[in-house]
Amino acid sequence: MPTHATKTTTISGRETTVPLLPCISADETLAFYQALGFAVTYQMTRPYLYLALRWSDIELHFGKGSKNLDPSEENAGGCLVMVDTVEPYHRAFTEALRAKYGKVLATGRPRITRFRPGQSRFSLVDPAGNNVIFIQRDEPEELEYGGSAKLTGLAKVIDNARILREFKNDDRAAARALDIGLARFGAAATVEDKARALAARLELVIALQEATTGQSLKQQLLDLPLSEEARSHLSDELKAAERLEDWLARTRPSQPTPPKRTGASRRR
């Protein structure tokens, strides 16, 4: 009897996953992502809404959001973008926003979250409340909410505030944790840990625009008897507030005004 060969197929392993995110305003969505440098690869609003955008090898697609979608909750949809090194992406988007708006969109919605040295992620929050999160591949897989179990006292509070700030994007909760921790553990903490906590809280003052408490925290930080060696070791942490102020305040460099044309030049 004749035999029939069985046709087999293999999985190539070259899959592409493209997120389909909700959109409430095509114009606002396009304006934000194009400002970041995304190119529009497809655009349709009738008979239904569909947008496709691309930046490098990152593709984001958008469809009409539900009637119950509340952008203010900022949980409409999400996408994780895994990268080797996260800082260059943050820098590229920051520069693109400055080029478009003359400033960074750092508050409200849409926005880009801030970035501190050593941080392993940041987010783009778009007009519909979607979160596109850029994550460094070697980021630890497990987080200990409440702070690392290996730490105690103010050191553990500082670690908890870091997680609230960088992974939950909850600056107010991070500020509360530091305020409570400083009050509870500050007297018994090492000078270095107290400096780290005050510096972290001062950076949150800038982020939360709490001008009334900033001067007091600055003075407390200045009054600490930190050695030069400790100041050098904690340099990045101590400069966090200053770095954030610079990031928020710096605008696009002004372009030189072209010289006015004289009457003679107009008649050429």
Side-chain angles (χ1 to χ4, degrees), residues 113-128:
T113 60
R114 65 193 186 281
F115 184 85
R116 291 165 55 116
Q119 196 167 309
S120 60
R121 61 171 59 194
F122 72 90
S123 297
L124 301 174
V125 183
D126 76 9

Side-chain angles (χ1 to χ4, degrees), residues 1-262:
M1 295 182 63
T3 59
H4 299 280
T6 302
K7 184 178 180 181
T8 61
T9 58
T10 59
I11 296 174
S12 69
R14 297 179 59 193
E15 300 85 3
T16 298
T17 300
V18 179
L20 178 58
L21 304 173
C23 172
I24 57 171
S25 168
D27 289 342
E28 291 179 6
T29 296
L30 289 171
F32 177 58
Y33 284 102
Q34 286 182 292
L36 290 167
F38 280 77
V40 179
T41 59
Y42 187 81
Q43 178 179 351
M44 180 174 70
T45 55
R46 294 181 183 278
Y48 59 87
L49 173 66
Y50 200 93
L51 307 174
L53 298 105
R54 183 183 181 93
W55 188 93
S56 186
D57 283 336
I58 302 165
E59 294 198 49
L60 301 175
H61 290 198
F62 297 86
K64 185 177 180 180
S66 71
K67 294 181 180 179
N68 298 325
L69 190 156
D70 183 356
S72 67
E73 294 183 358
E74 298 187 356
N75 61 2
C79 172
L80 306 182
V81 183
M82 312 303 292
V83 298
D84 291 335
T85 306
V86 73
E87 188 275 335
Y89 292 84
H90 191 269
R91 183 174 65 250
F93 292 137
T94 293
E95 291 171 355
L97 290 172
R98 283 206 182 98
K100 176 66 176 179
Y101 300 110
K103 64 178 182 179
V104 179
L105 305 182
T107 59
R109 193 180 55 256
R111 71 179 183 277
I112 180 174
T113 60
R114 65 193 186 281
F115 184 85
R116 291 165 55 116
Q119 196 167 309
S120 60
R121 61 171 59 194
F122 72 90
S123 297
L124 301 174
V125 183
D126 76 9
N130 295 303
N131 283 262
V132 180
I133 309 172
F134 287 73
I135 302 176
Q136 199 152 300
R137 295 185 198 279
D138 62 359
E139 177 182 270
E141 293 184 4
E142 294 183 4
L143 292 175
E144 296 182 69
Y145 290 101
S148 172
K150 297 177 182 178
L151 302 173
T152 59
L154 192 55
K156 185 171 184 176
V157 171
I158 295 168
D159 192 54
N160 181 40
R162 175 186 65 85
I163 293 169
L164 291 169
R165 181 185 65 230
E166 297 176 12
F167 292 85
K168 300 293 289 183
N169 286 329
D170 194 339
D171 288 340
R172 295 197 182 280
R176 285 195 299 270
L178 287 169
D179 287 341
I180 294 170
L182 282 163
R184 183 177 179 185
F185 302 111
T190 65
V191 175
E192 288 80 2
D193 277 347
K194 192 166 184 181
R196 293 177 61 221
L198 288 170
R201 185 62 179 90
L202 188 56
E203 192 249 8
L204 288 166
V205 164
I206 306 302
L208 295 169
Q209 300 179 353
E210 299 174 329
T212 54
T213 59
Q215 193 56 46
S216 173
L217 287 168
K218 283 183 181 179
Q219 193 58 53
Q220 290 180 60
L221 192 53
L222 287 171
D223 290 342
L224 288 177
L226 270 178
S227 67
E228 288 303 316
E229 183 181 359
R231 287 187 185 279
S232 176
H233 178 67
L234 300 175
S235 177
D236 279 342
E237 292 181 78
L238 295 176
K239 292 179 180 178
E242 180 183 337
R243 189 180 293 109
L244 178 57
E245 281 185 311
D246 179 63
W247 184 69
L248 292 171
R250 202 164 4 119
T251 58
R252 176 182 56 192
S254 59
Q255 298 297 318
T257 303
K260 292 182 179 180
R261 300 177 65 186
T262 64

